Each structure stands twice: as C-alpha cells, then as structure tokens.
Amino acid sequence: MVAAGPGASGGASPEPGAGVTARGAGRSGTGARGARAREASGAAARVGAAERSGAAARVGAAEQSGAAARVGAAERSGAAARVGAAERSGAAARVGAAERSGGSSQADAASGQDSDDGGSQSVPAPPGGPGGRRRHLLSIDDLGAEGIATVLRLSDRFVEVARRPIPKVPALRGRTVASVFAESSTRTRLSFETAARRLSADVISFSPAGSSLAKGESLRDTVQTVAAMGVDCFVVRHGCAGVPAQVAGWTGASVVNAGDGWHEHPTQALLDCATIRQVLAERDGMAVDDVGVDGFVGLRVAIVGDVAHSRVARSGILALAALGARVTLVAPGSLLPPSLVGWPVEAVTADLDDVLPETDVCYVLRLQTERGAGAFVPSPREYTAGFGLTARRAALLPDHAMVLHPGPMVRGVEIAADVADLPRTVVLRQVANGVAVRMAVLFLLLGAEEATADA
Amino acid sequence: MPDRPPAPAGAAAPWPGTVVIRGGTVVDETGTRQADVLVRDGRVVAVEKRITIPGGATVLDAGGCLVAPGLVDLHAHLRQPGAEEAETVESASRAAVLGGFTAVVAMPNTDPPVDNAAVALEVLALGAASLCRVAVAGAITVGRAGERLAPMGELAALGVRLFTDDGAGVQDGGLMRRALDYARGLGVTLAQHCEDRAIAAGGLMHEGEWSARLGLPGVPAAAEEAMVARDIALVAATGAPMHFLHLSCAGSLSLVAAAKAAGMPVTAEVAPHHLALTDAELAAYDPLFKVNPPLRSAADVAAVRRACATGTVDAVATDHAPHAANTKEAPLDEAPPGMLGLQTAWPVALAALHRGDPGLGADGEAVPALSVADVIGLLSWRPARIAGLDRAGGGDQGGPVAAGEPANLCVLDPAHTWTVEAGALASRSGNSPWRGRTLTGSVRHTVVAGEPVVIGGEAQR
Ligand SMILES: [Zn+2]
C-alpha cells in the first residue's frame, strides 16, 4: 500500500500542460480539458513525483508490503480544492458557470405543464439557449463541485417528475438528442433516451450494427452526417477514450460522454453521488433537498477492484473528491493505473480488510474476466479471496456503510450473492437514479428558451 | 556476394548550370567561415571570400544564412508503392528539399515492402526522377513479418546499406542474432525499431501520468528499453554494427551511451518530435499526436536533448510518416501512428537543441545547448555517414563544402520566423504536429547535384 504520489524526484515541470491548453482549445474547443490538464499538471508538480519510474513501481512494491501509508491531509484537501478552483476559475467551467447565469423564467418549463404544483417544484434555470456557448459533459472536471451540486439538486426534481402519471415535461421540446453508441450498452442508452423523451426532446438512436460505421465510413463523416439532421446534443459511448471529445470538435452540438474507453463515465458518477446523497439524507432523517452536498465532506469512500480499466472509477474519484470525500483505492497492483500522479485519492492499498472498518461507502468495481495472458489476476477465485466483498468482509463495514456497484454485478466474484442482496447494497437505487440524473444533465446542457415559449 | 557494396544507386545526374551562393556563412564538418560558393556542373568549384559572378549564373542570396552540406534524413516513409494517396516519392522529395534535405533514406514498410530487388529498384527509379537523392532501406525479414530473413544480399548488391523492419521491431531474438551475423558478412548495417510488442501491449501513447489520467492504454518505456538492451547484447555477441531508430526514452539512451563507452559499433538517431513534444499533447485526444514510439514525458525529452549534446545520439532523423487526413480523423485506437517531419526538422532541432526555446517539451530541465554547427551535423554529415552516403561510403552527401566536392547544399536561415500552414506543406498529407504553430528557422535555398531545386523557400519543380 502506498500513498498516491510521494515525491520520488522533482522531475515534473511546473506547468507542462499550460501550453497544451491554448492549442487544445484551438483545435477542438475543449478548453475545460486543457484547464483540467493544467490543474492536474500543477498537482503533479506539487506532488513532485517522478513520472515514469514512479507510481507503478511504487504501487507494486507497496502492494506487496501491505503497509498502510496515507498522504498528508494537506495534500488531500489541496487536491480536492484544486478541482473546484480550476472549475470556478473561468472559461473551463461550462455547466457550472452557465447555470449561474441563467434567468428564472424557464423554471416552469422544467417543472412541467402541471403548473399547479409548479411553485413548489421549481427547478434551477437552464443555462443554454440560442447564441449561448456550446456546453459539453466530457469529464466530471467539466462540472466541478458546484456543477455536480446543481445536477444533484435538479435530478431530485426530475425524480419527482418520474412519479407523475405522465412523467414528461416540455423542457426540451423541439430539441434533438442523438445517441451514438459504438459500444453496446442497452442499459445506458435506454436510460439516456428515456431521459431525453421525458424532457420532450426528439431522439435519434444510432449504433454501429448495420450502420455506415460498419461499412468503413469514418467516424467523423458519420457524426457529421447525423449532425446535419439537426442535432442539438450527441450522447456518445465508445470503446476508445477520447471519442466524445473528438465528436465535440467535429460538430456544433453539445456532447455528453456516455462512457469512453477507460477514461470517464460522468453520468454514472453523478447517479452514484445522487444515490449516496439520498441514503445519507435518509440516514439523518432529512429531506434530500436540505442536505445539499455537505454530507460528502470527509466521507470515507473505498473504491475496490479494477481501477486501471474503469471509466466508472475515474469519474467517481473526480466527483467524490470534488465534493470533499476521502477516496481510498483498494486493488491488486495489476489493476491499478500506471500512475496516480495528480489523482485526488487519499491512499492506495491492497488490504481490503484493513480498510473496510473505516469505510462509509464501499464502491465495488466489476472484474473483467479474461483468461490466460490477457488476465490481470491469476483467477477469479484468487481475486475473490483478496478483493471480493464476501459476507465476512461486509460484516467488517460500519453499520451505516453502504455498498455501490456500477452493474452488472458478477455475483460470487467481486461481490458475494448475499452481500448483493443486503439492504445496504443500493444498486437498484443507482439504476433508478440514472434517468433523473441524465434528465438533469441534458436539461442543463441544452437550455430551454424555445421550450419556454411553448410551455 | 561482394565484400563491399557497390556505390549506391539512385544519384541524380549533375545539373549543367552555374550557381553562386553569395554572402553566407559556410558551415561543414571542417569548420565555419564567411564565403561565397561557386557551383558548376553539379560540383562545388570554389569557396572563396568574394566570388565574381560569371555570366549566366543563378545567384542565391545567403545573407544572414548558413551554407551547409545538404541535410540527410535517415528515416522517411515515402509511402510509395502502396499508399500514394498519403505520399509519393515525388511529393516527399519536394517536402524534403523544402526542408533542406538533399537525400532521404526511404523506409521499406511500403506495400509491397522493400524485401526484394524489384521493389527496391522501383523506389530507386522513382527517386532518380524526384527532387532529391533517394536511398532505400531494405527489410530484415520477408514481408517484415519477423519470421525469416529477407534476401539482404540481393538488396545489398543494389547498394542498399541499411536494413530494418521499421514500423515494428524484430521480436524474435534468435532471428535477430542470425540477421546480425548475416549482415556483418555483407558489410551492411541493421537498424532496429525498438519495441517489445508484448510489453507494449497495444498501447496508444506513452504509459505514465497522462495515459493514466486520459484512460488510454500506454506503451511503457520498458518496451523500447528492453529491445535496446537485447540488441546491445546481440551486437556484443556478433560484432555486427547496429543503428537504433528513433530512440525516445531516457533509459534507452543510457543503454546506448554505455554501449558506446564500451566501444561497441552502435549508432542512434532521435526524431525532432521527441526533442520538443511531450505526452501532454494527447490531452485533447488529437490523433495528430499519435506516433510510434509515442511522445514521452518531459524528463525523457530532456534526456533525448542531453544525449544529443553528449554524443550518444548520432543523428536527428525525421520519421516523416504521412497519413491521409481521413485516417487521422478517427478514434485513437484506429488512427495510424505517425507525423510529418521533413519540412520542420531544421527549425524544431534548432529550437530544441540550440536555442532551448520555452514551451517545447522540456521546460524546467537543465539541458546544455548545442552550437548551430553541431545541430547541422546531426542533420547532415553524421547521418550521411551512417547511411553510407558520405564520401567515404562512396556517396555524395554530407560535405564538406569545398572545391571539387559534389554540390548537395542547403542554405539555412536561423532567424526567419514562419507559421506552419497547410498550404506551406508539400506533402500529400497534412499531419504535421506543428500545423498552426510558429517556428523560427527556415530553409532559403536547396541545391541538389548542382541544381537549385529550392530558391527563396519555393520549390522550383
Ligand atoms: Zn519506427
């Protein structure tokens, strides 16, 4: 076990990402990514870790030693604070900044035609609209702490909408959302498309099977062809990291990252945060509205399993750290990323038993079950012995602790069947929150000026 | 088979005109001096303080410029035959002379590859009609498949001096050992693209802080270092010379430095982009910056520059790798690796190695600066020697700039600032990492076999 980024040498240059920022923005309009790069590079410099020889080797060594080392609190809080600071500092803040600038007149549009209860159900004003800057959700860093809080507040309103006899509001009437899923995920695609339809948006669904993508047309041509049909927002899932950012550079539409390679899956992180927030509110006997996001400050989160290949983990770490949670990674060395420089995690360990008694939220990742040379662990059985959330291990958790999993669960490998069925395991609530969170994201990105006129 | 390869084929016929290069500073391996250069019938006739211009001569103004032996690129992918939509020998040769190069070594990973005499002769014939001298490297293994030796003797008989499976390394160490033994007998040099495929594991960028953050599979430095270490051991075992292509990691350069210190016959090249760009360029996921070996960390960039200053590196070679635009407008796992290099090598090397410009990859790292002459040496006479294109190798490249020598010359402006615009690139492809950026250092004139093929930065044909 090792701290993330102990200073092996002062090799990193002060701001290597700074030059990239301007160029990146020029090329593809991903200014926030540049800001994120700058932020992370700064963090790297502060941590002062040797780049290549560093984290992987250290993690490996420490993993064997099994000792517990923690990064100083200052470093941790610094890392968390930096995410927020970069987000607030300007052009990078897309949703967050835009959300603050919106008027209030659109509130009724979002809360629905049933304006009887519109007064009490009002939602934050949407940000976008004609002439406004394009907004994307490519990374959790595009939101920052304030943006995440906004999405969570808004998604609670949309949970309410879902309970209505006709769970639909006219907020995005006249808008078109295209889902481009180049990697099959029926669950996520349906969740996004349901969210778009409940906001009265038109939905174009596009997946590679039998499409021009399969016939060798370039992704750029395909995306631009679909864009020409008049698309306001692309929801993009792809097996390779970065494709949503590329799509954002190729079209004039907003882009939501619905999962790209090992990189990020921001709406999963948001629905996880929404779920944690609900459970915390219930535990304290409070209305979810009243708890805000303060409950995340100091929350002890253990993320267990295949962090290296998990977009869920990357987005989750960024979101939870931005809200002030203390994140510990628990994984064998072969399932950790090659470097943790700049990652806002408090500690890394291979000793799950040691971590569980000090854990408020245990986030169990799915294990990919390749065999042979492609395998990152000797066998599912050995993985379960070291890292599975067995009944014995679940009993080590404090009574109040909750268990999350991004699904689909492989019962008996990363989580025991009886643990999966415990009340503290909130997987079904995660799924239920998916639609509302995605409604909130689409609403915040697309704005609703025209819809207001119709409402 | 001959003990020694014959003089390389593919040299252009001398141009029967008179040229005076006036008012420049002549720089070659013998030193630096103010002089005019008189060229006639493909040869340098005089190098003197003030040359009277003969009637009918073409006068090339070299005021403020360096007059040097033409640059020699050890590593260019000309894409012909097989990928003419991306580049042809002719279009690449135009990019070459605009970049100050008077000779390029064409890499053999064409389609079909240069693993037999017929393809080699095809490329040599195309080269003879092009704007610069084109030498050909042959493949080490048939089809570059890494399974059995290509007919190196047949190719050596055509004047091929360098052999490589570039694009991939020879993975089988036993086969590589036999190739070295065989090459030693032919008097040719093997060049390795060092990448252990199993360790690289399909990575798309340098493995490290950035790959972890971006969620992209990485190529660890160890993939390169492991093959460099293996090949140095094989050089020790066989005594055959070995050239290391495009080294990109600090660890690789340490290994080569140690091998050189032990007196082993190894040489090494680095690419301009590894002198000036880091893995942080991938932050926007632009496949323009996908290249193999990948852009490395700032510490590696600094190490590459240091190795140029200490003599570990023998040459800066472009790894010019054109790719049609649509192939780079794809997800990173589908886009091919590679970037243009011929037209930007001189200003990038000058900025990275001589001026140490900020914002080019190794900021904050202490790196000694090279003299302008040393920078030109890495681009001209030193690679000419490795390729066997220098005078000692029976060739006509690399200088010196002296009466009686072949007139393959470039006139380099070290101070001119220009912006790399798509229209300025002669390549059929546009995948320059410097697109839209401003560089200081340009090529004013290039003379190939006495012919001024570039005048005032414009290609003449
Ligand atoms: Zn190569």
Side-chain angles (χ1 to χ4, degrees), chain A residues 122-136:
Chain A
S122 72
V123 296
R133 206 156 34 82
R134 273 192 303 145
R135 280 170 289 271
H136 310 295

Side-chain angles (χ1 to χ4, degrees), chain B residues 131-389:
Chain B
L131 281 77
C132 68
R133 167 69 176 279
V134 175
V136 174
I140 295 172
T141 68
V142 173
R144 297 173 48 252
E147 286 163 7
R148 57 200 172 90
L149 296 180
M152 287 195 274
E154 173 183 299
L155 289 159
L158 299 175
V160 175
R161 304 288 180 86
L162 281 176
F163 289 83
T164 177
D165 278 2
D166 183 54
V170 177
Q171 302 296 312
D172 181 331
L175 179 61
M176 191 62 199
R177 187 252 153 91
R178 285 194 294 282
L180 283 162
D181 278 333
Y182 193 73
R184 189 188 57 225
L186 292 174
V188 299
T189 300
L190 300 193
Q192 188 76 284
H193 164 123
C194 289
E195 179 184 8
D196 181 307
R197 195 176 290 147
I199 299 175
L204 303 174
M205 66 175 294
H206 173 59
E207 178 179 292
E209 181 184 337
W210 279 100
S211 71
R213 191 173 297 141
L214 296 171
L216 287 166
V219 180
E224 179 176 297
E225 293 158 356
M227 193 170 281
V228 172
R230 181 200 75 178
D231 283 358
I232 286 172
L234 293 176
V235 169
T238 61
M242 166 86 90
H243 177 65
F244 291 104
L245 302 169
H246 48 47
L247 294 182
S248 62
C249 318
S252 306
L253 294 158
S254 299
L255 290 163
V256 170
K260 285 189 164 190
M264 295 171 65
V266 295
T267 53
E269 70 179 39
V270 297
H273 43 269
H274 291 129
L275 291 170
L277 301 171
T278 69
D279 53 350
E281 298 287 348
L282 270 301
Y285 295 98
D286 188 341
L288 198 56
F289 297 97
K290 181 182 174 186
V291 63
N292 189 15
L295 302 178
R296 302 283 186 185
S297 71
D300 288 308
V301 169
V304 171
R305 291 193 199 176
R306 263 184 232 115
C308 289
T310 58
T312 300
V313 168
D314 299 278
V316 172
T318 66
D319 198 5
H320 180 80
H323 289 292
N326 62 319
T327 65
K328 283 284 193 181
E329 290 167 349
L332 273 160
D333 60 351
E334 292 172 21
M339 43 181 66
L340 301 185
L342 285 167
Q343 277 185 258
T344 49
W346 155 246
V348 171
L350 187 70
L353 296 176
H354 174 63
R355 289 198 309 269
D357 284 358
L360 285 183
D363 290 355
E365 306 272 347
V367 181
L370 277 74
S371 70
V372 174
D374 285 342
V375 173
I376 297 173
L378 286 165
L379 285 160
S380 176
W381 47 90
R382 296 176 71 188
R385 198 168 297 142
I386 293 166
L389 292 170

Side-chain angles (χ1 to χ4, degrees), chain A residues 11 13 20 23 27 33 36-37 40-41 44 51-52 220 238 240-243 246 250 262-263 314 338-339 341 343, chain B residues 206-210 212-217 221 225 280-281 283 285-287 289 297 329-333 363 365 437:
Chain A
S13 58
V20 176
R23 291 195 295 274
R27 272 198 305 277
R33 181 160 304 287
R36 178 186 171 198
S41 297
E51 195 275 331
R52 178 170 57 72
R220 179 182 179 146
H238 201 283
C240 183
V243 169
Q246 290 177 284
W250 292 335
W262 307 341
H263 177 224
R314 273 178 185 70
S339 166
V341 171
W343 289 46
Chain B
H206 173 59
E207 178 179 292
E209 181 184 337
W210 279 100
R213 191 173 297 141
L214 296 171
L216 287 166
E225 293 158 356
E281 298 287 348
Y285 295 98
D286 188 341
F289 297 97
S297 71
E329 290 167 349
L332 273 160
D333 60 351
D363 290 355
E365 306 272 347
R437 302 199 207 183

Side-chain angles (χ1 to χ4, degrees), chain A residues 134-219:
Chain A
R134 273 192 303 145
R135 280 170 289 271
H136 310 295
L137 179 58
L138 304 176
S139 163
I140 282 293
D141 279 348
D142 291 344
L143 290 170
E146 277 184 52
I148 295 167
T150 302
V151 171
L152 298 185
R153 271 200 308 278
L154 192 50
S155 64
D156 287 332
R157 307 294 200 284
F158 287 127
V159 165
E160 184 57 37
V161 168
R163 295 196 189 113
R164 298 179 190 176
I166 301 169
K168 197 162 178 171
V169 292
L172 297 184
R173 185 179 293 159
R175 300 296 184 118
T176 301
V177 174
S179 66
V180 177
F181 274 57
E183 186 185 74
S184 69
S185 172
T186 307
R187 207 169 61 151
T188 304
R189 186 168 57 80
L190 285 179
S191 179
F192 267 108
E193 291 178 3
T194 302
R197 290 197 176 95
R198 286 188 180 172
L199 293 166
S200 303
D202 295 321
V203 174
I204 298 173
S205 185
F206 186 88
S207 58
S211 76
S212 50
L213 263 187
K215 291 176 204 136
E217 185 181 55
S218 81
L219 180 65

